[in-house]
Amino acid sequence: MAISHLSTEEEEVEATRFDVPAEAVGKRLDQFLAEAMGGDVSRNRVQWIIAGGGVTLADGQTIGQARRKVAAGESFFVVLPEPAEADPRPEAIPLSVLYEDEAVIVIDKPAGMVVHPAAGNWSGTLVNALLHHCRDSLSGVGGVRRPGIVHRLDKDTSGVMVVAKSDVAHTSLAAQFAAHGRDGRMERRYRALVWGVPHRRDGTVDAPLGRSATDRIKRAVVQASRSDARHAVTHYHVEEIFGDDAALVECRLETGRTHQIRVHMAHISHPLLGDPLYGLGFRSKAERLEEPVRTIAMTFPRQALHAGFLAFEHPVTTQAMHFESPLPADMQELVAALRR
């Protein structure tokens, strides 16, 4: 058993690795994991974790069948629910609701809103707002600290999010996000304003990501041989060009790692405007712009990243659901200034 890390564009989670010994070969996956955990987690709980997409192989493949037999040499990564530190309290915070039924709620998250309570942000979060809006329908769904949350957007990233309102919906959506669209049920597209203009109108960045060697908060492109390296692929399309200064690009995730779009675009020398972690080296480029574009670009308070499109399979009806969100006002203002 060992501790490792699995990442998504929305967040990094800690996972525990379990290697299959010779004496366990041929056992059911749920039985093997329950025994490997020493009785700390029940077999029923293990089955719930597997169904929710919380168990993967070393190559990132999600294993969704508890009855699957384990084989020699396999390693399984298990994401265990975090213990609840405090019960989030309902707060009457306005929400932009795009769709809602008994199973799911789709919201347009504004920039500046943290998704779930954590150190330094115990109130004013999306979870606090959802608990007030949905009342008792979120009780017990996905754990106390993150009721209904199946994915996350960074505090300063705006856009479309879906939240589960039932255990069935939570399990289905978690599995869809774990597959990152490989099964055809889910698609996520982001829009970003980047410095400079990519040479190709359409391109792909295929570069593994890991922790930065100089800053634990940051991620970086690393050698694939590194123990913390995670396969990461981003496809981009240039939508609009603003001279030689900037471009509006659409990014589609083939994988989902922490800060993936931000790191990948910076890796090809086109970091996001306003990015405090990966775009500070381009302040000199902003200083060469004419007013009022220069002031708007240099004072933009966040990374210019917006989750503009989300498609998923409805967890109950299996209907294909599609939701779009236009660029928020601050990014529209930046685009208008760049056009001038």
Side-chain angles (χ1 to χ4, degrees):
M1 182 178 72
I3 302 298
S4 186
H5 290 85
L6 301 180
S7 302
T8 68
E9 175 66 23
E10 290 77 23
E11 69 180 304
E12 179 174 275
V13 294
E14 189 174 85
T16 304
R17 189 186 75 209
F18 296 94
D19 300 323
V20 179
E23 60 270 19
V25 172
K27 289 185 177 181
R28 282 175 52 121
L29 177 59
D30 57 347
Q31 178 188 2
F32 161 67
L33 290 176
E35 293 175 354
M37 293 178 193
D40 294 334
V41 180
S42 70
R43 191 162 171 178
N44 286 339
R45 185 62 170 168
V46 170
Q47 292 171 354
W48 184 87
I49 294 171
I50 294 172
V55 178
T56 62
L57 287 170
D59 62 2
Q61 177 187 352
T62 301
I63 306 301
Q65 292 186 326
R67 65 177 180 273
R68 178 192 184 278
K69 298 296 194 293
V70 301
E74 287 186 321
S75 295
F76 294 91
F77 291 83
V78 181
V79 178
L80 296 173
E82 294 184 14
E85 295 184 9
D87 292 352
R89 296 182 178 182
E91 297 179 23
I93 302 170
L95 289 174
S96 176
V97 179
L98 303 180
Y99 174 84
E100 183 176 10
D101 61 21
E102 293 183 354
V104 300
I105 178 172
V106 181
I107 61 101
D108 193 351
K109 187 188 87 67
M113 174 179 274
V114 175
V115 170
H116 53 72
N121 293 285
W122 293 114
S123 64
T125 72
L126 176 61
V127 163
N128 297 113
L130 287 168
L131 289 173
H132 179 272
H133 178 89
C134 300
R135 305 299 180 179
D136 294 334
S137 62
L138 285 183
S139 178
V141 180
V144 176
R145 285 184 61 195
R146 307 179 187 183
I149 302 300
V150 290
H151 69 126
R152 192 189 77 174
L153 296 178
D154 286 337
K155 173 184 176 181
D156 290 325
T157 297
S158 54
V160 186
M161 287 188 62
V162 59
V163 176
K165 294 176 63 178
S166 70
D167 286 326
V168 171
H170 190 277
T171 298
S172 172
L173 290 172
Q176 292 183 54
F177 275 98
H180 296 298
R182 289 188 294 269
D183 57 9
R185 294 187 292 169
M186 174 168 288
E187 183 179 359
R188 289 175 292 165
R189 297 200 297 263
Y190 294 71
R191 300 176 79 191
L193 283 162
V194 302
W195 286 116
V197 180
H199 295 302
R200 297 181 178 179
R201 194 82 175 186
D202 295 276
T204 296
V205 184
D206 185 345
L209 301 181
R211 284 191 180 275
S212 167
T214 58
D215 187 338
R216 285 186 58 81
I217 296 177
K218 297 177 67 174
R219 300 298 183 272
V221 171
V222 299
Q223 294 292 327
S225 58
R226 255 180 51 169
S227 60
D228 67 332
R230 295 290 178 265
H231 179 56
V233 180
T234 303
H235 304 283
Y236 69 84
H237 168 71
V238 179
E239 291 187 352
E240 188 172 354
I241 295 172
F242 309 106
D244 296 325
D245 301 314
L248 177 65
V249 300
E250 179 184 79
C251 295
R252 181 173 59 84
L253 299 179
E254 183 175 315
T255 59
R257 308 298 182 194
T258 302
H259 298 173
Q260 179 175 315
I261 292 173
R262 298 163 65 185
V263 178
H264 270 175
M265 296 312 294
H267 179 64
I268 62 171
S269 301
H270 299 292
L272 275 57
L273 273 69
D275 194 327
L277 285 180
Y278 307 103
L280 290 180
F282 276 67
R283 286 187 64 85
S284 59
K285 191 175 184 68
E287 291 171 354
R288 295 198 297 269
L289 297 173
E290 296 182 0
E291 293 291 0
V293 185
R294 178 171 57 193
T295 297
I296 295 174
M298 291 189 66
T299 60
F300 198 72
R302 66 180 182 100
Q303 64 265 13
L305 182 62
H306 178 68
F309 178 85
L310 174 65
F312 60 90
E313 179 185 275
H314 192 281
V316 177
T317 68
T318 70
Q319 177 183 353
M321 312 288 285
H322 302 82
F323 299 95
E324 293 189 57
S325 168
L327 286 179
D330 60 348
M331 288 183 66
Q332 289 187 35
E333 180 185 10
L334 188 52
V335 167
L338 290 167
R339 283 174 179 159
R340 291 196 295 268

